[in-house]
Amino acid sequence: QADKPPPMQVTSSASRMLILQSLVAIASNLTSAQLEAFTSRLTDALFKLPSQTVRRDQADLSLAMGEHLKKNGPMFCRAVANRINHLLLQEIHSINGAGQSGFGHEAKDLSLVSFDEMENKVLIGNISKAIELDSSEVLGVLNLRIANLLGHEEASLAQNPFRPAVFLQAVHDAWRELDSAVESQNLVLGLLRPDVFLKLAPILLALN
């Protein structure tokens, strides 16, 4: 179990960024160590899906994607690792830039977001809920620690740069590099259950 966070303390922007960057390195390294096993679980899930669906088109697509991932596993692992690191760095720059004035990185102009991007974010948000439940305690403590680091009383999950949705987005982005078809992207997203996805609890515990 994660320890309770220390009392709230305010640090300089430069100090905060150094701490956050060190956390990104930890998260990236621990994620990379899991990628081969995760890719294997996802490949198995793709091959098993045809026996769990009555839709012939979905069964055929799942088998084809399973073969595709089996053949291109190393490329997929590299893409996930790159996207995890990129998105986490993007997240910490956003929250550190908000500084003492509060968390502002969620206030993106929705007029600049495409319909597909909005749809993906909603789908990823829904899928992440099951993963969040698996790690609710350690996530809650990490939320408090991030808030403490930034000099705030509390922070919501949406303001945590290491929330499950960011890892899901990285996997989704990596799959898009592997296959551009929307049908396959949605199929893979639907398979990212807690038993298939990256094991986030030990990563979050290390961050705490």
Side-chain angles (χ1 to χ4, degrees):
Q1 293 187 352
D3 296 329
K4 292 182 178 180
M8 187 176 72
Q9 54 187 331
V10 179
T11 56
S12 69
S13 178
S15 297
R16 288 198 304 267
M17 183 52 69
L18 284 174
I19 294 170
L20 290 167
Q21 286 174 336
S22 71
L23 294 181
V24 168
I26 291 170
S28 295
N29 289 337
L30 291 177
T31 300
S32 294
Q34 290 192 31
L35 288 178
E36 187 175 344
F38 161 57
T39 301
S40 178
R41 290 194 299 273
L42 181 55
T43 302
D44 288 344
L46 284 165
F47 283 135
K48 288 177 182 176
L49 184 61
S51 65
Q52 302 165 350
T53 180
V54 296
R55 290 179 51 186
R56 180 60 184 270
D57 60 333
Q58 191 176 62
D60 290 345
L61 178 61
S62 184
L63 285 174
M65 291 303 97
E67 292 291 351
H68 189 45
L69 183 55
K70 186 176 180 180
K71 180 180 178 181
N72 296 284
M75 182 190 304
F76 178 67
C77 288
R78 288 193 297 272
V80 174
N82 289 338
R83 290 305 297 165
I84 284 286
N85 193 65
H86 174 81
L87 290 178
L88 290 179
L89 286 173
Q90 192 175 69
E91 287 284 327
I92 67 166
H93 279 286
S94 293
I95 66 166
N96 194 54
Q100 302 307 313
S101 62
F103 297 102
H105 71 296
E106 291 296 327
K108 185 176 180 179
D109 185 352
L110 294 180
S111 66
L112 302 177
V113 179
S114 70
F115 176 78
D116 286 343
E117 186 180 351
M118 287 275 290
E119 194 172 40
N120 284 337
K121 285 187 180 299
V122 170
L123 184 57
I124 287 170
N126 290 337
I127 294 170
S128 70
K129 286 181 172 58
I131 300 171
E132 290 162 14
L133 284 174
D134 260 16
S135 308
S136 58
E137 182 179 352
V138 70
L139 265 175
V141 176
L142 186 56
N143 288 348
L144 290 174
R145 289 184 182 275
I146 295 295
N148 287 344
L149 180 64
L150 296 173
H152 293 273
E153 292 292 340
E154 59 183 14
S156 69
L157 179 61
Q159 296 157 343
N160 185 336
F162 305 97
R163 62 193 182 277
V166 175
F167 291 83
L168 279 164
Q169 184 67 55
V171 171
H172 176 66
D173 290 350
W175 184 266
R176 288 173 64 183
E177 293 183 26
L178 204 66
D179 188 273
S180 60
V182 174
E183 294 82 3
S184 79
Q185 294 165 20
N186 290 339
L187 182 119
V188 167
L189 270 179
L191 291 174
L192 298 181
R193 307 178 301 268
D195 61 309
V196 173
F197 195 57
L198 295 161
K199 305 305 179 187
L200 294 187
I203 296 174
L204 297 170
L205 194 60
L207 295 176
N208 268 320

